[in-house]
Amino acid sequence: MTICATPNMISTSLRQQYYDALFAHEDGSANCGWLAKIIASWQAGASVLPNALGLDESQFQQLLAQRFPGCHIDSIAPSGKTLDFSRMLEKQDLEIFLRQQAAVQNQETEWLIGIIVAACLGSDHLWQDLGLWSRNDLSSLLMHNFPKMAARNHRDMKWKKFLYKQLCEAEGLYVCRAPSCEVCKDYPLCFGEET
């Protein structure tokens, strides 16, 4: 019996190879594991992230040089995906909001914000659009880098919806007409299982 490899099996295997190569160069910082997963998925064409992960070229090169010294990766997205930031009217607001929620203000935080905002243009769950390997990866990344904001998601709302809800509330916008989430007909969309 011959077992054929599916595209998903190939990208998962390729992603693991890229991850192993990146992690062999990691600098030991707290975010390296998550960044290695994001970059490995991106290299395997398994994320929505565009060229340079949504960062500008110099940020992308700085990220590689500082977090994965000696690792050289082309900034062109292997998936060929490009994101149209003109569709994202709230891009700057989302960047400012995440910056305000950051545990630390530094260059790495700026990289993460840029990557997260780029992934918000995708149509899947945020962890998938980022190229992380599970929702737990995303929850851990957000808890580490944006702890106060992440702790407010105590009801386990889907992260992309949660970010936009927080952004709307910061602007004083409340568009949901349900008196509480529990009685809302869209409850499964916001709080259902992420697969």
Side-chain angles (χ1 to χ4, degrees):
M1 174 197 223
T2 304
I3 298 175
C4 297
T6 66
N8 190 37
M9 288 169 58
I10 293 168
S11 67
T12 300
S13 172
L14 191 57
R15 180 179 72 176
Q16 184 67 50
Q17 290 174 28
Y18 287 134
Y19 174 81
D20 293 343
L22 280 160
F23 210 73
H25 290 88
E26 61 96 14
D27 74 342
S29 71
N31 285 313
C32 270
W34 300 307
L35 285 168
K37 287 180 179 182
I38 290 169
I39 296 168
S41 294
W42 174 78
Q43 285 181 284
S47 80
V48 74
L49 295 171
N51 293 347
L53 304 173
L55 303 173
D56 66 40
E57 184 68 29
S58 66
Q59 287 177 312
F60 179 74
Q61 294 305 328
Q62 289 167 357
L63 183 157
L64 290 177
Q66 290 182 27
R67 294 297 168 254
F68 305 99
C71 211
H72 302 286
I73 299 170
D74 189 5
S75 65
I76 304 299
S79 67
K81 293 180 182 173
T82 58
L83 299 182
D84 181 7
F85 282 109
S86 69
R87 296 190 301 121
M88 192 180 214
L89 302 176
E90 70 284 353
K91 179 180 186 287
Q92 186 176 20
D93 293 336
L94 192 53
E95 290 169 342
I96 291 168
F97 173 74
L98 287 170
R99 204 168 285 125
Q100 291 169 342
Q101 302 300 314
V104 178
Q105 299 289 331
N106 62 21
Q107 190 175 41
E108 186 171 57
T109 300
E110 290 301 312
W111 299 332
L112 289 169
I113 289 170
I115 294 167
I116 290 168
V117 169
C120 281
L121 274 171
S123 57
D124 284 326
H125 297 298
L126 185 54
W127 67 270
Q128 292 168 319
D129 288 335
L130 280 167
L132 287 168
W133 299 2
S134 72
R135 185 174 196 274
N136 287 338
D137 284 340
L138 177 58
S139 296
S140 297
L141 180 147
L142 293 175
M143 188 57 80
H144 177 77
N145 292 283
F146 309 95
K148 289 180 182 174
M149 180 203 69
R152 287 197 304 269
N153 191 6
H154 56 87
R155 294 173 58 202
D156 210 23
M157 182 180 260
K158 294 175 184 174
W159 282 113
K160 198 180 294 185
K161 289 185 181 292
F162 179 80
L163 285 176
Y164 279 91
K165 183 176 185 290
Q166 296 298 298
L167 187 61
C168 288
E169 288 177 3
E171 295 292 322
L173 302 172
Y174 299 91
V175 294
C176 185
R177 289 177 268 169
S180 71
C181 289
E182 288 78 13
V183 299
C184 180
K185 65 179 172 105
D186 291 328
Y187 185 88
L189 297 173
C190 293
F191 296 95
E193 178 126 358
E194 292 187 40
T195 54

